[in-house]
Amino acid sequence: MKLLRYGAAGAERPGLLDDDGHIRDLSDHISDVNGAALARDKLAELAALDPATLPLISGNPRLGPCVGNIGKMPCIGLNYSDHAAETGAEIPKHPILFHKATSAISGPNDDVSMPRGSTHTDWEVELGVVIGTAAKYVSTEEALDYVAGYCVINDVSERHFQTQLTGQWTKGKSCDTFAPTGPWMVTADEIDDVQNLSMHLDINGTRRQTGNTSTMIFSVAEIIAHLSQLMTLHPGDVISTGTPPGVGMGMTPPQYLAVGDEMSLSIQGLGTQTQRVTMDT
C-alpha cells in the first residue's frame, strides 16, 4: 500500500495510490497520514479497503510530505561504506546522529530553496524509515516490527554551514525545504528486503549518485535498535538513514547546486522525487 498526502501546503488531505497510479482519497477513513494512522491495526483496516470504492482524485495535485505532523527526523551520517570512502572519513564505530528540523520538511516535488548567499548546497538521496509503533529499548532482531513503511528523502545539505560554522551538522541540514519527503510511504509489507534496494540521483539529467542499501554500515534494524536506546521513537517519526557515494562534496573538484538546477532521485519500489533549485531572497 502506498499512502500519500495531496493538496496545498498546510492543507494536505490523506490518500493512497491505486494499482493504476491514480490517487484515491482517504478522508472518510483517516484525518491524515500521521502517527495515529500508522498503527498496525489501522494500516490493516486501510489495506482491507477496495481502492475502487474510494473517491478518485482527478488532475495532477501537488504532493505533500508523505507523513504529516512528523515529530522528529533523526538522521544518520556516513552510513554507506562507499560514501565514507569518497569523503575520506573513517568508518564510524557507532551511528553518527544529527537531526533535521521539522521545518525543513517539504513535499517531494516542491522547490528546494538555498539559503541566502549559499554556494555549497549539496544533494543526498536517502532511504526514509517511518516508525509505526513506539520503540524504546528494542533489539536489532525485533526492530523492523516497529516500522510502518519506507519513503524517499533528499537530505539536502549546505556544506559550509555544516562544516565551517562551528557546531553540529544540524546547521547545514535544517534550512527550509532541505528535507523533501515522499512521494509516498510504501508500507513495510511491500518491501521484501530493505537491505537490497537500489537508489540513484540525477542533476540536470546526469547521474551523480548510484548505490544500494546493501552497502549500509549500520542496517535499518541496527539504526532503530541503537536510537531506541537513546530516545523513544514515536509513531510518525521518520529516520533518514544515510546516502551512497556521488555527492557534490566528494567530487574533484567539489560541485554544488546552482539556481535552476533540477534534482531527480529515486529508490527501488519507493517512487521518484524531482525538485527545482531556487535561492531565498
Side-chain angles (χ1 to χ4, degrees):
M1 186 167 53
K2 296 177 175 66
L3 298 177
L4 53 82
R5 301 168 70 247
Y6 70 95
E12 293 93 347
R13 297 169 65 90
L16 63 77
L17 195 74
D18 68 20
D19 290 341
D20 295 320
H22 299 136
I23 296 175
R24 300 282 180 164
D25 186 77
L26 283 173
S27 297
D28 289 341
H29 300 275
I30 55 175
S31 62
D32 200 355
V33 181
N34 56 17
L38 299 176
R40 192 174 292 111
D41 58 346
K42 194 61 183 180
L43 288 179
E45 289 180 20
L46 297 178
L49 297 173
D50 179 359
T53 66
L54 301 171
L56 176 65
I57 304 305
S58 60
N60 186 30
R62 170 189 174 270
L63 295 179
C66 58
V67 179
N69 298 318
I70 294 172
K72 56 181 175 289
M73 184 176 276
C75 305
I76 308 301
L78 294 175
N79 193 38
Y80 282 69
S81 55
D82 36 11
H83 172 54
E86 77 171 342
T87 63
E90 294 184 6
I91 299 296
K93 295 180 180 178
H94 307 283
I96 294 174
L97 174 65
F98 62 92
H99 281 76
K100 277 186 177 283
T102 54
S103 55
I105 297 168
S106 58
N109 303 316
D110 293 347
D111 289 351
V112 165
S113 186
M114 299 187 297
R116 290 180 181 177
S118 170
T119 57
H120 293 76
T121 297
D122 206 346
W123 54 84
E124 295 189 13
V125 57
E126 304 205 359
L127 172 70
V129 179
V130 183
I131 298 299
T133 304
K136 186 174 178 67
Y137 300 131
V138 305
S139 68
T140 300
E141 291 71 24
E142 63 182 344
L144 295 185
D145 294 339
Y146 294 81
V147 176
Y150 303 96
C151 63
V152 182
I153 294 175
N154 189 352
D155 175 20
V156 185
S157 308
E158 214 299 338
R159 302 300 189 188
H160 179 80
F161 292 7
Q162 178 185 351
T163 63
Q164 301 302 313
L165 300 185
T166 304
Q168 298 181 343
W169 286 7
T170 299
K171 289 183 178 181
K173 300 285 191 171
S174 287
C175 304
D176 295 348
T177 74
F178 270 26
T181 302
W184 34 76
M185 184 201 81
V186 179
T187 50
D189 60 290
E190 291 198 7
I191 304 300
D192 292 332
D193 183 2
V194 72
Q195 297 305 151
N196 188 25
L197 299 177
S198 60
M199 55 209 307
H200 66 264
L201 181 146
D202 296 344
I203 303 294
N204 300 326
T206 298
R207 184 62 44 89
R208 293 302 186 197
Q209 287 188 275
T210 301
N212 191 288
T213 57
S214 62
T215 68
M216 280 185 177
I217 297 167
F218 302 102
S219 68
V220 170
E222 290 170 329
I223 291 168
I224 294 170
H226 179 75
L227 293 180
S228 78
Q229 312 306 308
L230 310 174
M231 66 192 78
T232 301
L233 299 172
H234 294 284
D237 288 349
V238 180
I239 305 168
S240 199
T241 57
T243 199
V247 299
M249 180 178 65
M251 299 175 67
T252 305
Q255 179 176 318
Y256 297 108
L257 293 167
V259 171
D261 283 348
E262 182 178 275
M263 295 179 280
S264 180
L265 51 151
S266 181
I267 298 179
Q268 179 183 348
L270 302 183
T272 299
Q273 304 180 351
T274 302
Q275 299 106 28
R276 184 174 65 94
V277 178
T278 62
M279 177 75 78
D280 282 354
T281 56

